[in-house]
Amino acid sequence: MLIEKLKNYKIILGSQSPRRKEILASMHIPFSVLVREIDETIDDNIPANEAAEVIARKKMAAFTDLFLPDHVIITADTVVCLNNTLIGKPNGKPHALEILKSLSGNMHLVYTGVCIRCGNHEISFTDISSVYFKPLTESEINFYIDTCKPFDKAGAYGVQDWIGSVAIEKIIGSYHNIMGLPSCRVYDALKQITV
């Protein structure tokens, strides 16, 4: 079983995201966190559906000194896309309000790019989820921003927050992908890379 096999490896999550830590812990995978700063800007010519994986691979490139046979490194990035336009993290309340108004009543896509490395072997992939928001009033959006302060989240919201409970009508794809780490695909990739 994978959980037993992983005891032979030092697993590093290259992310400070509380959601990614929570998801990996829920999978009963022992890991430590090590974050290395990189420039997360990407070329405007990169398609929206490839952006998260490009950043995840850039994050992985910061760990070359740990590309060892007994180390497994996991990096990830999540982006929100509305009408082929990438939506990043809000730079303050007015920006968060603007973003959530644009998502209100619409369907948007969430892409999480993941890169997993063990020694000389690397796997990267992008998972996609479609998220359908019901229309929200400005007072509801303001309540959410003031209560949950989603300034560290792509798309200015967390699916696990109040807004996810009351405003998301439907999801097609992985819930954990929207949180920031598509756990089912990560589990399968870990099985593949540690063979």
Side-chain angles (χ1 to χ4, degrees):
M1 183 180 167
L2 178 65
I3 305 304
E4 287 299 315
K5 190 195 301 184
L6 290 178
K7 291 176 181 174
N8 299 318
Y9 295 88
K10 180 173 175 55
I11 300 161
I12 297 166
L13 175 63
S15 173
Q16 58 193 358
S17 161
R19 274 76 55 187
R20 292 194 184 109
K21 288 188 263 187
E22 178 186 328
I23 292 167
L24 209 53
S26 75
M27 296 166 69
H28 294 274
I29 292 173
F31 66 95
S32 58
V33 173
L34 179 60
V35 178
R36 294 188 174 167
E37 295 302 318
I38 63 148
D39 177 7
E40 294 190 23
T41 56
I42 57 165
D43 192 300
D44 290 339
N45 297 323
I46 293 174
N49 64 337
E50 296 176 16
E53 189 172 339
V54 167
I55 296 171
R57 292 178 69 145
K58 282 176 76 172
K59 289 178 179 179
M60 183 62 71
F63 289 93
T64 53
D65 58 312
L66 296 178
F67 291 173
L68 304 168
D70 63 341
H71 283 52
V72 174
I73 305 162
I74 304 167
T75 59
D77 192 72
T78 302
V79 298
V80 170
C81 184
L82 177 66
N83 301 324
N84 287 322
T85 301
L86 289 178
I87 300 172
K89 297 173 184 174
N91 56 24
K93 183 173 178 180
H95 190 208
L97 183 63
E98 177 189 328
I99 289 170
L100 290 169
K101 279 183 173 179
S102 72
L103 298 181
S104 172
N106 289 310
M107 185 276 287
H108 65 273
L109 302 173
V110 177
Y111 299 104
T112 295
V114 178
C115 190
I116 301 176
R117 180 97 183 199
C118 181
N120 294 324
H121 303 289
E122 185 173 291
I123 297 172
S124 69
F125 59 86
T126 298
D127 203 52
I128 178 173
S129 300
S130 304
V131 183
Y132 293 77
F133 262 65
K134 72 178 189 183
L136 292 162
T137 65
E138 189 163 331
S139 64
E140 287 171 326
I141 293 171
N142 275 312
F143 170 79
Y144 171 66
I145 295 169
D146 292 341
T147 304
C148 295
K149 305 192 180 340
F151 306 115
D152 63 336
K153 297 175 175 71
Y157 79 93
V159 67
Q160 70 282 359
D161 292 344
W162 176 86
I163 204 166
S165 299
V166 304
I168 294 178
E169 295 181 303
K170 181 170 67 170
I171 291 169
I172 299 174
S174 163
Y175 175 86
H176 282 154
N177 182 58
I178 303 164
M179 279 181 72
L181 196 68
S183 53
C184 186
R185 291 193 65 183
V186 167
Y187 187 84
D188 288 344
L190 287 169
K191 283 167 69 172
Q192 184 180 340
I193 208 164
T194 56
V195 167

